[in-house]
């Protein structure tokens, strides 16, 4: 079981302290003692939005999560980085395009 503590963001609401638990093919999000959601991990998409923040969605509900251990969280949940976005994380997409264009 992996539990990651951090800040949870939703819409324009202020961030709240939350935990994301990844265990036995399930992803659960908790705040204090209240479970917000429990998803089958296969139904959840997780995209890395920045160095520290991730977007979790099941297609209906979307949360942004900033864990205390971004690398560990990314590895555990299998986060995706969209390199097609013009301003993706830390300019990585542009550096890759430049490297591919250089003979």
């Amino acid at each position: 079981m992996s539990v990651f503590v951090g800040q949870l963001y939703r819409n324009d609401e202020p961030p709240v302290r939350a935990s994301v638990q990844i265990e036995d093919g399930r992803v659960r999000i908790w705040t204090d003692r209240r479970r917000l959601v429990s998803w089958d991990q296969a139904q959840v998409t997780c995209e890395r939005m920045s160095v520290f923040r991730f977007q979790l969605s099941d297609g209906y509900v979307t949360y942004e999560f900033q864990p205390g251990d971004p690398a560990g969280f990314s590895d555990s949940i299998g986060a995706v980085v969209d390199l097609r976005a013009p301003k993706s994380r830390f300019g990585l997409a542009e550096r890759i395009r430049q490297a591919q264009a250089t003979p």
Side-chain angles (χ1 to χ4, degrees), residues 9-91:
Y9 300 82
R10 179 142 191 237
N11 303 324
D12 292 331
E13 299 172 13
V16 295
R17 186 166 175 79
S19 299
V20 174
Q21 176 186 17
I22 303 167
E23 176 185 30
D24 297 330
R26 302 290 302 170
V27 176
R28 296 176 183 91
I29 301 176
W30 299 83
T31 60
D32 295 324
R33 295 175 187 221
R34 183 174 167 235
R35 184 175 70 183
L36 295 179
V37 67
S38 177
W39 290 318
D40 183 329
Q41 191 169 355
Q43 295 175 329
V44 177
T45 59
C46 180
E47 184 177 344
R48 195 166 198 158
M49 305 302 291
S50 72
V51 178
F52 303 108
R53 195 175 289 192
F54 298 83
Q55 184 178 63
L56 296 133
S57 178
D58 69 348
Y60 301 102
V61 180
T62 300
Y63 295 98
E64 287 193 13
F65 182 60
Q66 185 171 325
D69 177 10
F73 181 75
S74 181
D75 290 344
S76 291
I77 201 158
V80 174
V81 178
D82 186 1
L83 295 176
R84 297 169 296 166
K87 290 190 176 187
S88 66
R89 68 178 192 141
F90 20 100

